[in-house]
Amino acid sequence: MMHLSNERMDDEGTHTTTEGAPMTYNRMEAKPIAGEHCRFCGDASAPLVKTPCCQQWICCDTAFVSFRGGGRCQVEHERFSMCYSHYEDKHGGPWESCQQCRDFWSPRDYKTYAENPINWPKY
């Protein structure tokens, strides 16, 4: 698991930011975090959650019902990245070298998902 410099774990194993706010994977609990930004689009004012697959801050939609995810990076990462698919399928190691992922997807689909820029943080 990758830890970023602004994240810490307390004695009970709870992850928090350096400001002491609890880190969340739940989009309904997401809030903007002072000094943080989405690692995929760079938005510093959006509500943020951690990706469970690659442990990156990512912007998300906090609406209870959302058909498109508000155009936020979390929805794109969870629907169109090999990173999240690899995590959800509980494969080991990095997705970039996962033979199970290569065998599961058709060559065309693997190429489409693997080359999608939403696989890698940019900021």
Side-chain angles (χ1 to χ4, degrees):
M1 177 186 310
M2 181 176 16
H3 293 281
L4 302 174
S5 60
N6 65 335
E7 179 186 317
R8 61 189 165 95
M9 188 181 301
D10 64 19
D11 294 335
E12 288 85 42
T14 303
H15 290 268
T16 59
T17 63
T18 51
E19 294 81 26
M23 182 196 81
T24 184
Y25 297 105
N26 182 343
R27 70 179 179 85
M28 297 304 290
E29 298 172 359
K31 295 182 175 87
I33 300 171
E36 282 302 338
H37 59 278
C38 175
R39 300 290 191 252
F40 294 86
C41 72
D43 190 341
S45 62
L48 300 171
V49 293
K50 279 283 183 153
T51 59
C53 46
C54 55
Q55 298 298 307
Q56 299 292 323
W57 289 114
I58 194 164
C59 62
C60 69
D61 180 18
T62 57
F64 181 69
V65 175
S66 175
F67 295 107
R68 292 207 39 188
R72 300 293 190 176
C73 294
Q74 181 189 28
V75 168
E76 297 294 314
H77 191 69
E78 290 177 2
R79 293 192 67 211
F80 303 115
S81 76
M82 193 60 68
C83 178
Y84 191 79
S85 172
H86 175 81
Y87 164 79
E88 277 294 300
D89 291 340
K90 297 177 179 28
H91 297 169
W95 69 264
E96 294 92 339
S97 60
C98 181
Q99 191 61 46
Q100 287 176 287
C101 287
R102 287 184 185 275
D103 292 342
F104 176 79
W105 296 93
S106 71
R108 187 181 103 200
D109 287 343
Y110 182 85
K111 181 176 171 37
T112 299
Y113 284 100
E115 291 179 354
N116 190 327
I118 199 68
N119 279 298
W120 302 279
K122 293 179 254 184
Y123 298 92

